[in-house]
Short mmCIF file of all heavy atoms in Angstrom, two decimals:
data_model
loop_
_atom_site.label_atom_id
_atom_site.label_comp_id
_atom_site.label_asym_id
_atom_site.label_seq_id
_atom_site.Cartn_x
_atom_site.Cartn_y
_atom_site.Cartn_z
N MET A 1 -6.87 -5.55 -5.89
CA MET A 1 -5.32 -5.38 -5.65
C MET A 1 -4.55 -6.11 -6.68
O MET A 1 -3.54 -5.62 -7.04
CB MET A 1 -4.95 -5.60 -4.24
CG MET A 1 -5.48 -4.61 -3.23
SD MET A 1 -4.63 -4.67 -1.55
CE MET A 1 -5.08 -6.25 -0.93
N GLU A 2 -5.14 -7.25 -7.18
CA GLU A 2 -4.30 -7.98 -8.13
C GLU A 2 -4.21 -7.20 -9.44
O GLU A 2 -3.06 -7.28 -10.01
CB GLU A 2 -5.09 -9.32 -8.42
CG GLU A 2 -4.99 -10.36 -7.18
CD GLU A 2 -5.68 -11.61 -7.54
OE1 GLU A 2 -5.98 -11.93 -8.73
OE2 GLU A 2 -6.04 -12.23 -6.60
N GLN A 3 -5.27 -6.50 -9.83
CA GLN A 3 -5.09 -5.68 -11.13
C GLN A 3 -4.10 -4.63 -10.86
O GLN A 3 -3.46 -4.27 -11.80
CB GLN A 3 -6.52 -5.05 -11.34
CG GLN A 3 -7.46 -6.06 -11.77
CD GLN A 3 -8.92 -5.51 -11.92
OE1 GLN A 3 -9.19 -4.40 -11.35
NE2 GLN A 3 -9.82 -6.26 -12.56
N LEU A 4 -3.99 -3.92 -9.70
CA LEU A 4 -2.93 -2.97 -9.50
C LEU A 4 -1.53 -3.54 -9.56
O LEU A 4 -0.67 -3.01 -10.24
CB LEU A 4 -3.20 -2.23 -8.11
CG LEU A 4 -4.38 -1.41 -7.96
CD1 LEU A 4 -4.53 -0.97 -6.58
CD2 LEU A 4 -4.24 -0.17 -8.91
N ALA A 5 -1.34 -4.77 -8.98
CA ALA A 5 -0.16 -5.50 -9.02
C ALA A 5 0.30 -5.71 -10.53
O ALA A 5 1.39 -5.56 -10.98
CB ALA A 5 -0.03 -6.76 -8.24
N GLU A 6 -0.70 -6.14 -11.35
CA GLU A 6 -0.45 -6.46 -12.70
C GLU A 6 -0.03 -5.20 -13.52
O GLU A 6 0.70 -5.29 -14.48
CB GLU A 6 -1.67 -7.08 -13.42
CG GLU A 6 -1.98 -8.51 -12.89
CD GLU A 6 -3.32 -9.06 -13.33
OE1 GLU A 6 -4.10 -8.29 -14.07
OE2 GLU A 6 -3.57 -10.12 -12.88
N LYS A 7 -0.52 -3.98 -13.10
CA LYS A 7 -0.16 -2.72 -13.69
C LYS A 7 1.21 -2.24 -13.28
O LYS A 7 1.67 -1.17 -13.72
CB LYS A 7 -1.11 -1.67 -13.45
CG LYS A 7 -2.42 -2.00 -14.15
CD LYS A 7 -3.63 -1.03 -13.79
CE LYS A 7 -4.92 -1.30 -14.48
NZ LYS A 7 -5.93 -0.31 -14.17
N GLY A 8 1.93 -2.96 -12.30
CA GLY A 8 3.14 -2.47 -11.83
C GLY A 8 3.30 -1.87 -10.47
O GLY A 8 4.33 -1.43 -10.07
N TRP A 9 2.09 -1.66 -9.75
CA TRP A 9 2.12 -1.20 -8.39
C TRP A 9 2.72 -2.30 -7.46
O TRP A 9 2.49 -3.43 -7.70
CB TRP A 9 0.76 -0.82 -7.96
CG TRP A 9 0.14 0.38 -8.62
CD1 TRP A 9 -0.52 0.35 -9.79
CD2 TRP A 9 0.34 1.68 -8.26
NE1 TRP A 9 -0.88 1.68 -10.14
CE2 TRP A 9 -0.40 2.44 -9.12
CE3 TRP A 9 0.98 2.28 -7.11
CZ2 TRP A 9 -0.44 3.89 -8.97
CZ3 TRP A 9 0.90 3.59 -7.06
CH2 TRP A 9 0.21 4.38 -8.01
N HIS A 10 3.51 -1.93 -6.45
CA HIS A 10 3.98 -2.77 -5.45
C HIS A 10 3.21 -2.69 -4.23
O HIS A 10 2.99 -1.55 -3.76
CB HIS A 10 5.54 -2.45 -5.02
CG HIS A 10 6.43 -2.69 -6.31
ND1 HIS A 10 7.12 -3.79 -6.47
CD2 HIS A 10 6.62 -1.85 -7.37
CE1 HIS A 10 7.88 -3.61 -7.59
NE2 HIS A 10 7.54 -2.53 -8.19
N ILE A 11 2.66 -3.73 -3.74
CA ILE A 11 1.73 -3.70 -2.56
C ILE A 11 2.23 -4.72 -1.61
O ILE A 11 2.43 -5.91 -1.94
CB ILE A 11 0.35 -4.10 -2.96
CG1 ILE A 11 -0.17 -3.06 -4.02
CG2 ILE A 11 -0.65 -4.06 -1.73
CD1 ILE A 11 -1.47 -3.47 -4.71
N LYS A 12 2.43 -4.31 -0.31
CA LYS A 12 2.95 -5.29 0.72
C LYS A 12 1.96 -5.10 1.83
O LYS A 12 1.59 -3.98 2.26
CB LYS A 12 4.27 -4.69 1.16
CG LYS A 12 4.90 -5.56 2.25
CD LYS A 12 6.19 -5.03 2.57
CE LYS A 12 6.82 -5.64 3.90
NZ LYS A 12 8.19 -5.15 4.24
N VAL A 13 1.49 -6.27 2.36
CA VAL A 13 0.57 -6.36 3.43
C VAL A 13 1.09 -7.38 4.44
O VAL A 13 1.47 -8.48 4.13
CB VAL A 13 -0.82 -6.79 2.93
CG1 VAL A 13 -1.76 -6.87 4.21
CG2 VAL A 13 -1.45 -5.87 1.95
N MET A 14 1.15 -6.94 5.73
CA MET A 14 1.60 -7.80 6.82
C MET A 14 0.89 -7.57 8.09
O MET A 14 0.17 -6.53 8.22
CB MET A 14 3.20 -7.70 7.00
CG MET A 14 3.55 -6.38 7.42
SD MET A 14 5.28 -6.22 7.64
CE MET A 14 5.49 -7.02 9.20
N THR A 15 1.04 -8.41 9.05
CA THR A 15 0.40 -8.31 10.35
C THR A 15 1.46 -7.52 11.20
O THR A 15 2.67 -7.58 11.02
CB THR A 15 0.05 -9.59 11.01
OG1 THR A 15 1.29 -10.41 11.13
CG2 THR A 15 -0.89 -10.28 10.31
N ASP A 16 0.88 -6.73 12.18
CA ASP A 16 1.67 -5.98 13.06
C ASP A 16 1.25 -6.31 14.53
O ASP A 16 0.11 -5.92 14.88
CB ASP A 16 1.59 -4.43 12.75
CG ASP A 16 2.52 -3.63 13.63
OD1 ASP A 16 2.92 -4.09 14.76
OD2 ASP A 16 2.81 -2.50 13.24
N HIS A 17 2.10 -6.97 15.22
CA HIS A 17 1.78 -7.39 16.62
C HIS A 17 2.50 -6.53 17.67
O HIS A 17 2.64 -6.92 18.82
CB HIS A 17 2.16 -8.80 16.85
CG HIS A 17 1.43 -9.70 16.00
ND1 HIS A 17 0.14 -10.25 16.37
CD2 HIS A 17 1.61 -10.20 14.80
CE1 HIS A 17 -0.24 -10.99 15.36
NE2 HIS A 17 0.61 -11.03 14.44
N SER A 18 2.89 -5.28 17.28
CA SER A 18 3.70 -4.38 18.07
C SER A 18 2.90 -3.69 19.20
O SER A 18 3.37 -3.26 20.23
CB SER A 18 4.62 -3.45 17.29
OG SER A 18 3.73 -2.58 16.66
N GLY A 19 1.55 -3.57 19.07
CA GLY A 19 0.75 -2.89 19.96
C GLY A 19 -0.15 -3.93 20.76
O GLY A 19 0.04 -4.98 20.63
N PRO A 20 -1.04 -3.38 21.44
CA PRO A 20 -1.97 -4.28 22.35
C PRO A 20 -2.83 -5.11 21.47
O PRO A 20 -3.24 -6.21 22.00
CB PRO A 20 -2.67 -3.21 23.26
CG PRO A 20 -2.58 -1.93 22.53
CD PRO A 20 -1.26 -1.94 21.72
N GLU A 21 -3.30 -4.69 20.37
CA GLU A 21 -4.10 -5.41 19.41
C GLU A 21 -3.30 -5.60 18.05
O GLU A 21 -2.64 -4.67 17.55
CB GLU A 21 -5.40 -4.62 19.16
CG GLU A 21 -6.26 -4.37 20.36
CD GLU A 21 -6.84 -5.57 20.97
OE1 GLU A 21 -7.19 -6.43 20.14
OE2 GLU A 21 -6.99 -5.65 22.20
N MET A 22 -3.46 -6.71 17.46
CA MET A 22 -2.94 -7.03 16.17
C MET A 22 -3.59 -6.02 15.17
O MET A 22 -4.86 -5.89 15.22
CB MET A 22 -3.13 -8.41 15.76
CG MET A 22 -2.42 -8.80 14.53
SD MET A 22 -3.11 -8.39 12.91
CE MET A 22 -4.62 -9.36 12.84
N VAL A 23 -2.93 -5.36 14.24
CA VAL A 23 -3.35 -4.61 13.14
C VAL A 23 -2.67 -5.07 11.95
O VAL A 23 -1.79 -5.82 11.93
CB VAL A 23 -3.15 -3.11 13.32
CG1 VAL A 23 -3.95 -2.69 14.61
CG2 VAL A 23 -1.70 -2.82 13.45
N TRP A 24 -3.31 -4.71 10.77
CA TRP A 24 -2.68 -4.93 9.45
C TRP A 24 -1.87 -3.64 9.04
O TRP A 24 -2.36 -2.57 9.19
CB TRP A 24 -3.82 -5.22 8.42
CG TRP A 24 -4.39 -6.61 8.70
CD1 TRP A 24 -5.59 -6.69 9.43
CD2 TRP A 24 -4.10 -7.84 8.22
NE1 TRP A 24 -5.82 -8.09 9.51
CE2 TRP A 24 -4.97 -8.81 8.75
CE3 TRP A 24 -2.99 -8.32 7.49
CZ2 TRP A 24 -4.83 -10.07 8.47
CZ3 TRP A 24 -2.86 -9.69 7.23
CH2 TRP A 24 -3.86 -10.54 7.71
N ARG A 25 -0.81 -3.93 8.40
CA ARG A 25 -0.03 -2.85 7.84
C ARG A 25 0.04 -3.05 6.32
O ARG A 25 0.07 -4.19 5.80
CB ARG A 25 1.48 -2.82 8.38
CG ARG A 25 1.50 -2.50 9.89
CD ARG A 25 2.80 -2.07 10.35
NE ARG A 25 3.26 -0.94 9.67
CZ ARG A 25 4.44 -0.33 9.83
NH1 ARG A 25 5.28 -0.77 10.68
NH2 ARG A 25 4.72 0.79 9.21
N ALA A 26 -0.03 -1.88 5.59
CA ALA A 26 0.09 -1.98 4.17
C ALA A 26 0.95 -0.88 3.65
O ALA A 26 0.95 0.22 4.27
CB ALA A 26 -1.30 -1.88 3.57
N TRP A 27 1.67 -1.10 2.60
CA TRP A 27 2.51 -0.26 1.88
C TRP A 27 2.08 -0.28 0.44
O TRP A 27 1.85 -1.40 -0.15
CB TRP A 27 4.05 -0.52 2.06
CG TRP A 27 4.65 -0.40 3.30
CD1 TRP A 27 5.22 0.79 3.84
CD2 TRP A 27 4.61 -1.30 4.43
NE1 TRP A 27 5.73 0.50 5.05
CE2 TRP A 27 5.36 -0.68 5.44
CE3 TRP A 27 4.08 -2.60 4.60
CZ2 TRP A 27 5.53 -1.46 6.60
CZ3 TRP A 27 4.19 -3.25 5.73
CH2 TRP A 27 5.00 -2.70 6.79
N VAL A 28 2.13 0.80 -0.33
CA VAL A 28 1.90 0.80 -1.69
C VAL A 28 3.01 1.70 -2.31
O VAL A 28 3.27 2.77 -1.70
CB VAL A 28 0.48 1.27 -2.08
CG1 VAL A 28 0.16 2.63 -1.70
CG2 VAL A 28 0.20 1.07 -3.49
N SER A 29 3.61 1.29 -3.37
CA SER A 29 4.58 2.13 -4.05
C SER A 29 4.56 1.93 -5.53
O SER A 29 4.18 0.94 -6.08
CB SER A 29 5.96 1.80 -3.50
OG SER A 29 6.31 0.45 -3.71
N TRP A 30 5.09 2.95 -6.17
CA TRP A 30 5.26 2.97 -7.66
C TRP A 30 6.75 3.12 -7.83
O TRP A 30 7.41 4.17 -7.46
CB TRP A 30 4.38 4.09 -8.26
CG TRP A 30 4.49 4.14 -9.66
CD1 TRP A 30 5.34 4.97 -10.52
CD2 TRP A 30 3.78 3.23 -10.67
NE1 TRP A 30 5.11 4.69 -11.81
CE2 TRP A 30 4.25 3.59 -11.93
CE3 TRP A 30 3.02 2.21 -10.47
CZ2 TRP A 30 3.77 2.92 -13.13
CZ3 TRP A 30 2.49 1.57 -11.66
CH2 TRP A 30 2.87 2.03 -12.84
N ARG A 31 7.38 2.22 -8.50
CA ARG A 31 8.82 2.23 -8.61
C ARG A 31 9.39 2.40 -9.98
O ARG A 31 10.33 1.93 -10.36
CB ARG A 31 9.47 0.87 -8.03
CG ARG A 31 9.00 0.73 -6.58
CD ARG A 31 9.81 -0.20 -5.88
NE ARG A 31 9.56 -0.27 -4.43
CZ ARG A 31 10.15 0.36 -3.51
NH1 ARG A 31 11.06 1.25 -3.76
NH2 ARG A 31 9.77 0.30 -2.26
N ARG A 32 8.63 3.04 -10.92
CA ARG A 32 9.00 3.39 -12.10
C ARG A 32 9.47 4.81 -12.20
O ARG A 32 8.94 5.60 -11.46
CB ARG A 32 7.89 3.14 -13.15
CG ARG A 32 7.68 1.60 -13.32
CD ARG A 32 6.76 1.30 -14.42
NE ARG A 32 6.33 -0.09 -14.36
CZ ARG A 32 5.39 -0.60 -15.08
NH1 ARG A 32 4.54 0.18 -15.83
NH2 ARG A 32 5.03 -1.94 -14.91
N GLY A 33 10.42 5.15 -12.98
CA GLY A 33 10.89 6.51 -13.13
C GLY A 33 12.06 6.79 -12.13
O GLY A 33 12.64 5.92 -11.64
N ALA A 34 12.30 8.10 -12.11
CA ALA A 34 13.52 8.53 -11.32
C ALA A 34 13.29 8.25 -9.80
O ALA A 34 12.28 8.42 -9.28
CB ALA A 34 13.81 9.88 -11.61
N GLN A 35 14.38 8.12 -9.02
CA GLN A 35 14.36 8.04 -7.56
C GLN A 35 14.07 9.51 -7.11
O GLN A 35 14.41 10.38 -7.73
CB GLN A 35 15.82 7.59 -7.10
CG GLN A 35 16.03 6.24 -7.44
CD GLN A 35 15.73 5.16 -6.44
OE1 GLN A 35 15.03 5.55 -5.44
NE2 GLN A 35 15.96 3.98 -6.65
N PRO A 36 13.66 9.63 -5.93
CA PRO A 36 13.19 8.61 -4.97
C PRO A 36 11.79 8.14 -5.45
O PRO A 36 11.08 8.87 -5.93
CB PRO A 36 13.19 9.29 -3.72
CG PRO A 36 12.79 10.71 -3.98
CD PRO A 36 13.57 10.97 -5.29
N HIS A 37 11.61 6.74 -5.18
CA HIS A 37 10.32 6.15 -5.44
C HIS A 37 9.36 6.63 -4.40
O HIS A 37 9.66 6.70 -3.34
CB HIS A 37 10.32 4.70 -5.60
CG HIS A 37 11.22 4.21 -6.67
ND1 HIS A 37 11.11 4.56 -7.97
CD2 HIS A 37 12.38 3.53 -6.69
CE1 HIS A 37 12.06 4.14 -8.74
NE2 HIS A 37 12.81 3.47 -7.88
N LYS A 38 8.14 6.92 -4.80
CA LYS A 38 7.02 7.36 -3.79
C LYS A 38 6.41 6.02 -3.15
O LYS A 38 6.28 5.06 -3.76
CB LYS A 38 5.96 8.12 -4.55
CG LYS A 38 5.05 8.71 -3.64
CD LYS A 38 4.10 9.63 -4.41
CE LYS A 38 3.05 10.32 -3.37
NZ LYS A 38 2.23 11.16 -4.04
N GLU A 39 6.14 6.23 -1.84
CA GLU A 39 5.56 5.19 -1.03
C GLU A 39 4.61 5.80 -0.04
O GLU A 39 4.96 6.79 0.54
CB GLU A 39 6.67 4.35 -0.47
CG GLU A 39 6.16 3.16 0.45
CD GLU A 39 7.28 2.25 0.95
OE1 GLU A 39 7.98 1.68 0.22
OE2 GLU A 39 7.57 2.41 2.22
N GLU A 40 3.55 5.02 0.17
CA GLU A 40 2.57 5.37 1.24
C GLU A 40 2.38 4.13 2.14
O GLU A 40 2.43 3.00 1.61
CB GLU A 40 1.31 5.78 0.64
CG GLU A 40 1.41 7.11 -0.20
CD GLU A 40 1.32 8.44 0.53
OE1 GLU A 40 0.91 8.42 1.66
OE2 GLU A 40 1.62 9.40 -0.13
N SER A 41 2.02 4.39 3.45
CA SER A 41 1.67 3.34 4.21
C SER A 41 0.74 3.60 5.23
O SER A 41 0.38 4.78 5.46
CB SER A 41 3.09 2.75 5.00
OG SER A 41 3.44 3.77 5.93
N THR A 42 0.09 2.64 5.89
CA THR A 42 -0.98 2.73 6.84
C THR A 42 -0.98 1.56 7.78
O THR A 42 -0.48 0.44 7.41
CB THR A 42 -2.38 2.98 6.14
OG1 THR A 42 -3.36 3.36 7.11
CG2 THR A 42 -2.87 1.63 5.52
N LYS A 43 -1.81 1.69 8.91
CA LYS A 43 -2.19 0.54 9.66
C LYS A 43 -3.68 0.58 9.77
O LYS A 43 -4.27 1.61 10.00
CB LYS A 43 -1.61 0.76 11.07
CG LYS A 43 -0.11 0.58 11.17
CD LYS A 43 0.35 0.73 12.64
CE LYS A 43 1.85 0.65 12.73
NZ LYS A 43 2.25 0.90 14.17
N GLN A 44 -4.33 -0.58 9.66
CA GLN A 44 -5.73 -0.74 9.73
C GLN A 44 -6.16 -1.93 10.57
O GLN A 44 -5.36 -2.81 10.62
CB GLN A 44 -6.39 -0.86 8.32
CG GLN A 44 -6.11 0.35 7.40
CD GLN A 44 -6.81 1.60 7.76
OE1 GLN A 44 -7.85 1.55 8.38
NE2 GLN A 44 -6.28 2.76 7.32
N SER A 45 -7.36 -1.96 11.02
CA SER A 45 -7.80 -3.13 11.91
C SER A 45 -8.28 -4.35 11.06
O SER A 45 -8.26 -5.51 11.70
CB SER A 45 -8.99 -2.66 12.75
OG SER A 45 -10.05 -2.16 12.09
N ASP A 46 -8.58 -4.24 9.73
CA ASP A 46 -9.03 -5.35 9.00
C ASP A 46 -8.64 -5.21 7.56
O ASP A 46 -8.25 -4.20 7.15
CB ASP A 46 -10.56 -5.60 9.25
CG ASP A 46 -11.38 -4.45 8.62
OD1 ASP A 46 -11.30 -4.11 7.48
OD2 ASP A 46 -12.03 -3.76 9.48
N LEU A 47 -8.63 -6.41 6.88
CA LEU A 47 -8.24 -6.44 5.51
C LEU A 47 -9.09 -5.62 4.52
O LEU A 47 -8.55 -5.12 3.60
CB LEU A 47 -8.13 -7.87 5.11
CG LEU A 47 -6.93 -8.61 5.61
CD1 LEU A 47 -7.05 -10.15 5.23
CD2 LEU A 47 -5.65 -8.02 5.12
N ALA A 48 -10.38 -5.52 4.84
CA ALA A 48 -11.22 -4.67 3.98
C ALA A 48 -10.80 -3.25 4.00
O ALA A 48 -10.80 -2.61 3.01
CB ALA A 48 -12.67 -4.90 4.43
N ALA A 49 -10.48 -2.85 5.21
CA ALA A 49 -9.94 -1.43 5.26
C ALA A 49 -8.74 -1.26 4.64
O ALA A 49 -8.54 -0.21 3.97
CB ALA A 49 -9.93 -1.09 6.83
N ILE A 50 -7.90 -2.25 4.62
CA ILE A 50 -6.60 -2.24 3.87
C ILE A 50 -6.86 -2.05 2.45
O ILE A 50 -6.31 -1.27 1.76
CB ILE A 50 -5.70 -3.48 4.22
CG1 ILE A 50 -5.13 -3.34 5.65
CG2 ILE A 50 -4.52 -3.64 3.14
CD1 ILE A 50 -4.09 -2.24 5.83
N GLU A 51 -7.69 -2.97 1.93
CA GLU A 51 -8.00 -2.88 0.40
C GLU A 51 -8.57 -1.56 0.00
O GLU A 51 -8.21 -0.99 -0.99
CB GLU A 51 -8.93 -4.06 0.01
CG GLU A 51 -9.19 -4.09 -1.51
CD GLU A 51 -9.72 -5.32 -2.09
OE1 GLU A 51 -10.14 -6.21 -1.16
OE2 GLU A 51 -9.61 -5.42 -3.27
N SER A 52 -9.54 -1.00 0.79
CA SER A 52 -10.12 0.26 0.55
C SER A 52 -9.01 1.27 0.52
O SER A 52 -9.09 2.27 -0.39
CB SER A 52 -11.17 0.53 1.58
OG SER A 52 -11.76 1.78 1.37
N TRP A 53 -8.08 1.27 1.50
CA TRP A 53 -7.09 2.26 1.61
C TRP A 53 -6.11 2.23 0.37
O TRP A 53 -5.83 3.30 -0.23
CB TRP A 53 -6.27 2.10 2.90
CG TRP A 53 -5.10 3.09 2.89
CD1 TRP A 53 -5.09 4.42 3.28
CD2 TRP A 53 -3.74 2.68 2.50
NE1 TRP A 53 -3.82 4.99 3.22
CE2 TRP A 53 -3.05 3.93 2.66
CE3 TRP A 53 -3.14 1.65 2.00
CZ2 TRP A 53 -1.70 4.09 2.40
CZ3 TRP A 53 -1.76 1.78 1.66
CH2 TRP A 53 -1.07 2.96 1.93
N VAL A 54 -5.83 0.97 -0.07
CA VAL A 54 -4.89 0.77 -1.21
C VAL A 54 -5.53 1.41 -2.39
O VAL A 54 -4.92 2.13 -3.27
CB VAL A 54 -4.58 -0.68 -1.32
CG1 VAL A 54 -3.88 -0.87 -2.82
CG2 VAL A 54 -3.61 -1.18 -0.31
N GLN A 55 -6.86 1.07 -2.63
CA GLN A 55 -7.50 1.56 -3.91
C GLN A 55 -7.66 3.13 -3.84
O GLN A 55 -7.44 3.79 -4.88
CB GLN A 55 -8.91 0.93 -3.92
CG GLN A 55 -9.06 -0.52 -4.11
CD GLN A 55 -8.40 -1.00 -5.42
OE1 GLN A 55 -8.44 -0.28 -6.44
NE2 GLN A 55 -8.09 -2.33 -5.52
N SER A 56 -7.96 3.68 -2.70
CA SER A 56 -8.20 5.17 -2.64
C SER A 56 -6.77 5.83 -2.69
O SER A 56 -6.73 6.98 -3.35
CB SER A 56 -8.99 5.61 -1.47
OG SER A 56 -8.23 5.27 -0.24
N THR A 57 -5.76 5.30 -2.17
CA THR A 57 -4.41 5.84 -2.26
C THR A 57 -3.90 5.92 -3.68
O THR A 57 -3.44 6.86 -4.23
CB THR A 57 -3.48 5.11 -1.38
OG1 THR A 57 -3.85 5.17 0.00
CG2 THR A 57 -1.98 5.69 -1.46
N VAL A 58 -4.03 4.74 -4.37
CA VAL A 58 -3.61 4.66 -5.76
C VAL A 58 -4.40 5.69 -6.59
O VAL A 58 -3.86 6.37 -7.43
CB VAL A 58 -3.75 3.31 -6.34
CG1 VAL A 58 -3.65 3.20 -7.78
CG2 VAL A 58 -2.70 2.41 -5.58
N ALA A 59 -5.76 5.75 -6.41
CA ALA A 59 -6.48 6.64 -7.17
C ALA A 59 -6.19 8.13 -7.05
O ALA A 59 -6.31 8.91 -7.93
CB ALA A 59 -8.07 6.45 -6.90
N GLY A 60 -5.79 8.46 -5.85
CA GLY A 60 -5.41 9.90 -5.56
C GLY A 60 -3.93 10.23 -5.70
O GLY A 60 -3.53 11.30 -5.30
N TRP A 61 -3.19 9.32 -6.20
CA TRP A 61 -1.81 9.50 -6.36
C TRP A 61 -1.35 10.58 -7.27
O TRP A 61 -1.98 10.69 -8.40
CB TRP A 61 -1.07 8.16 -6.69
CG TRP A 61 0.31 8.08 -6.31
CD1 TRP A 61 1.42 8.85 -6.72
CD2 TRP A 61 0.77 7.01 -5.40
NE1 TRP A 61 2.56 8.37 -6.07
CE2 TRP A 61 2.19 7.38 -5.28
CE3 TRP A 61 0.37 6.06 -4.74
CZ2 TRP A 61 3.11 6.57 -4.55
CZ3 TRP A 61 1.17 5.22 -3.94
CH2 TRP A 61 2.49 5.44 -3.83
N VAL A 62 -0.62 11.53 -6.78
CA VAL A 62 -0.11 12.59 -7.81
C VAL A 62 1.30 12.32 -8.07
O VAL A 62 2.28 12.34 -7.29
CB VAL A 62 -0.18 13.98 -7.02
CG1 VAL A 62 0.37 15.01 -7.93
CG2 VAL A 62 -1.72 14.30 -6.64
N PHE A 63 1.53 12.14 -9.33
CA PHE A 63 2.99 11.90 -9.79
C PHE A 63 3.65 13.14 -10.11
O PHE A 63 3.08 14.11 -10.67
CB PHE A 63 2.90 11.07 -11.05
CG PHE A 63 2.42 9.61 -10.88
CD1 PHE A 63 1.16 9.36 -11.11
CD2 PHE A 63 3.26 8.70 -10.58
CE1 PHE A 63 0.66 8.07 -10.90
CE2 PHE A 63 2.87 7.43 -10.24
CZ PHE A 63 1.54 7.05 -10.56
N GLU A 64 4.85 13.36 -9.60
CA GLU A 64 5.71 14.52 -9.66
C GLU A 64 6.51 14.54 -10.83
O GLU A 64 6.96 13.54 -11.30
CB GLU A 64 6.38 14.95 -8.46
CG GLU A 64 5.40 15.05 -7.37
CD GLU A 64 6.10 15.04 -5.94
OE1 GLU A 64 7.25 14.97 -5.86
OE2 GLU A 64 5.30 15.18 -5.03
#
């Protein structure tokens, strides 16, 4: 994820205690170019799943 951040991707990860079990929330966005900026988000049970999701989301991103 550090390499993605160095390339200009915005990645936010935080805990979410709103449900019965704590989960991790993640957002990834690309903020270059015209508005609106594209953003994706997810909730996962562990950090390994978050990292996997970030990597696969960025790899599959379609720029319009």
Side-chain angles (χ1 to χ4, degrees):
M1 287 196 297
E2 288 178 25
Q3 292 172 342
L4 292 173
E6 289 171 2
K7 292 179 181 178
W9 290 91
H10 295 262
I11 302 165
K12 178 179 172 182
V13 178
M14 65 180 284
T15 57
D16 183 338
H17 298 273
S18 63
E21 301 287 327
M22 189 279 294
V23 295
W24 292 93
R25 291 194 66 177
W27 293 262
V28 63
S29 63
W30 182 257
R31 299 198 176 269
R32 295 186 183 169
Q35 294 269 6
H37 299 301
K38 187 170 179 180
E39 181 175 289
E40 299 276 344
S41 66
T42 191
K43 291 181 182 180
Q44 301 288 337
S45 60
D46 60 64
L47 286 173
I50 288 290
E51 183 163 9
S52 176
W53 176 85
V54 168
Q55 297 291 343
S56 64
T57 299
V58 167
W61 208 292
V62 176
F63 293 94
E64 298 169 0

